[in-house]
Amino acid sequence: MKKFGWILLAGLAFSGGLQAQKIEEVLQSVEQHNKELQASVHRMEAAKMEVQTRNNLEDPSVEYSPFYASNVDGMASSELVVTQGFDFPTLYAARNRSGKSQKNVLDRQQQVLRRDILLQAKNLCLDLIRLNQEQQLLAERMKNADALLELFEKRLKEGDANALEVNKIKMERMKVQTEVAQNNATHRTALQQLLAMNGNMPLEFAETDYPKVEAIRDYQTLYNEVMQSDVDLQVAEATAQAASEEVKVNKQNWLPKLEVGYRRNTSVGEKSNGFLVGGSFPLFSNRKKLKIAKAQALSANLQRDNARLQVEAKVQSQFNEMQQLHEAMQAYDVPLMHHTLRLLYDAVTAGQLSIIDFYVEADNVYGNLQSYMTLENQYQKLMADIYKNRL
């Protein structure tokens, strides 16, 4: 990939005492300070604890009943019953396995959120690099316009130039100033978005070149990596597994609920103790629960298959787009364009080229440079998306 032959001076600056950060350092800071990620961590912890409560024992029950009779002063008799209910033992084991699967789904979903937030932050950094490049190019154009305006105003006084040429240079300066203002506004917006993602903690991003990306030699290599590492697929697979475990849980819901306890009865001059053993059969409460669980498992399996198809299609389209962008960038000779601008500037200052012809040719070169910047930014963001599961 061709590199620009200048150093970009513009960047993110919030505090003069901050050390310039690379993209990797910015992403580490975002991961540490992002409020959405922090909230998600606590939300996931709460969800995991909620999953655990599904397998808790039932609360013990205590009942005390005093009885009175007309021919007895005070309490004639009483009854104390203490009971503890629980499910059939194998059901706890099945729910425990199901709970582990559900916690795995929550972990995978957290990974997806983390990856997507970091990818968004990385794309903002890539956009800021492009905006910095545009700022440098605009600064170069303004510098040339200022020098030409000074030169041609002097020539106008000496009678070697006309007002049309001077006005053309002034219009070029106005055009550049407008583009600078637009660039600054876009830059400020992207900067504020990155700051918000970092919890409004200060950043200084002074990178001037895009990060090096690993070249993809063939489609199969890309396909294998994505299919093995894509966390969206992992979420779909974990969800299908959790749904399968839930079916196993519901297959045991026909088992009776058990109840054991202690019972004490007292009456005038007599006391008795005993144990209580009982159970309940889910004849009505378990109705259609297994069918519901099977339908949910089938849905999860189909969603997993669909997620795989979507990822496969995206890999193919991204590979094709990557090849097209790479070929398009290779068509641009950036050093040649900068050399051409220098030759045009030398020619117009030497009087070998009119200012009108200069700007006709220079605008074409500047347009090609802008197109190259746009292509390179698209390529970098595409590669960031391809390798997003490495974040």
Side-chain angles (χ1 to χ4, degrees), residues 2 11 74 78 104 112 165 217 219 287 345 373:
K2 300 180 179 68
S78 66
N104 185 42
V112 170
E165 291 176 315
R217 302 301 181 185
Y219 171 76
R287 188 180 181 186
Y345 181 81
M373 291 180 190

Side-chain angles (χ1 to χ4, degrees), residues 201-309:
M201 298 296 292
L203 287 173
E204 182 173 348
F205 181 70
E207 285 290 288
T208 58
D209 294 312
Y210 287 109
K212 294 182 179 179
V213 291
E214 182 180 344
I216 300 175
R217 302 301 181 185
D218 61 275
Y219 171 76
Q220 194 61 42
T221 300
L222 172 62
Y223 176 86
N224 291 338
E225 173 170 346
V226 172
M227 301 307 291
Q228 292 174 7
S229 63
D230 189 84
V231 290
D232 291 312
L233 286 180
Q234 293 173 7
V235 168
E237 180 64 36
T239 302
Q241 180 63 32
S244 176
E245 292 294 338
E246 193 64 19
V247 170
K248 296 177 182 178
V249 170
N250 280 275
K251 283 183 177 180
Q252 299 192 43
N253 278 341
W254 64 269
L255 295 170
K257 291 182 179 292
L258 305 178
E259 189 175 81
V260 297
Y262 168 76
R263 189 169 194 161
R264 178 181 175 87
N265 291 87
T266 62
S267 60
V268 177
E270 184 179 353
K271 298 179 181 179
S272 60
N273 301 278
F275 294 98
L276 184 150
V277 178
S280 63
F281 296 88
L283 298 178
F284 305 106
S285 62
N286 191 42
R287 188 180 181 186
K288 294 189 177 180
K289 284 188 176 180
L290 181 58
K291 290 184 177 180
I292 293 172
K294 287 183 176 180
Q296 291 173 338
L298 179 59
S299 174
N301 288 332
L302 291 173
Q303 288 176 350
R304 177 191 58 193
D305 295 341
N306 180 65
R308 186 176 184 86
L309 291 174

Side-chain angles (χ1 to χ4, degrees), residues 4-171:
F4 286 97
W6 60 73
I7 297 178
L8 304 178
L9 301 178
L12 302 179
F14 298 91
S15 173
L18 287 178
Q19 185 177 359
Q21 295 167 298
K22 297 181 180 295
I23 288 183
E24 293 78 9
E25 295 170 335
V26 170
L27 297 185
Q28 290 174 3
S29 180
V30 169
E31 184 175 4
Q32 180 180 357
H33 299 115
N34 185 265
K35 299 302 181 183
E36 185 177 358
L37 270 180
Q38 292 174 358
S40 177
V41 169
H42 294 293
R43 185 169 60 248
M44 181 185 65
E45 291 176 353
K48 284 185 175 182
M49 287 187 285
E50 187 176 356
V51 169
Q52 289 178 334
T53 60
R54 290 186 56 204
N55 214 21
N56 290 345
L57 289 172
E58 295 182 10
D59 296 327
S61 174
V62 179
E63 296 180 4
Y64 177 72
S65 302
F67 301 98
Y68 300 91
S70 59
N71 59 345
V72 177
D73 293 334
M75 186 172 59
S77 63
S78 66
E79 182 183 56
L80 173 67
V81 180
V82 180
T83 58
Q84 172 67 59
F86 56 90
D87 292 315
F88 207 80
T90 57
L91 190 56
Y92 288 102
R95 279 204 295 251
N96 183 56
R97 291 190 295 269
S98 177
K100 288 181 179 179
S101 296
Q102 292 177 30
K103 290 178 183 178
N104 185 42
V105 173
L106 293 171
D107 287 333
R108 299 297 184 183
Q109 289 174 341
Q110 177 68 15
Q111 292 175 6
V112 170
L113 178 63
R114 173 190 170 276
R115 179 204 65 186
D116 292 346
I117 288 177
L118 294 184
L119 177 61
Q120 183 182 354
K122 185 172 184 177
N123 283 334
L124 285 172
C125 290
L126 297 176
D127 284 338
L128 287 166
I129 291 176
R130 175 182 59 82
L131 291 168
N132 289 339
Q133 292 177 343
E134 290 179 358
Q135 286 178 357
Q136 181 64 26
L137 185 61
L138 291 171
E140 195 71 29
R141 291 176 64 181
M142 182 61 72
K143 177 182 176 182
N144 290 340
D146 289 340
L148 288 175
L149 182 60
E150 181 180 357
L151 175 63
F152 274 79
E153 282 181 339
K154 180 180 178 181
R155 288 182 179 179
L156 179 61
K157 294 179 181 179
E158 296 173 351
D160 294 331
N162 57 57
L164 182 61
E165 291 176 315
V166 174
N167 290 342
K168 178 61 178 177
I169 300 173
K170 290 181 178 180
M171 286 189 290

Side-chain angles (χ1 to χ4, degrees), residues 291-343:
K291 290 184 177 180
I292 293 172
K294 287 183 176 180
Q296 291 173 338
L298 179 59
S299 174
N301 288 332
L302 291 173
Q303 288 176 350
R304 177 191 58 193
D305 295 341
N306 180 65
R308 186 176 184 86
L309 291 174
Q310 294 296 326
V311 171
E312 288 176 345
K314 186 175 181 180
V315 171
Q316 182 66 64
S317 64
Q318 286 182 328
F319 183 76
N320 294 336
E321 185 181 359
M322 178 201 65
Q323 289 183 315
Q324 293 172 0
L325 288 175
H326 187 267
E327 291 176 1
M329 287 191 299
Q330 294 302 311
Y332 288 88
D333 191 335
V334 177
L336 175 63
M337 287 188 282
H338 283 287
H339 183 63
T340 300
L341 287 174
R342 175 51 54 188
L343 292 178

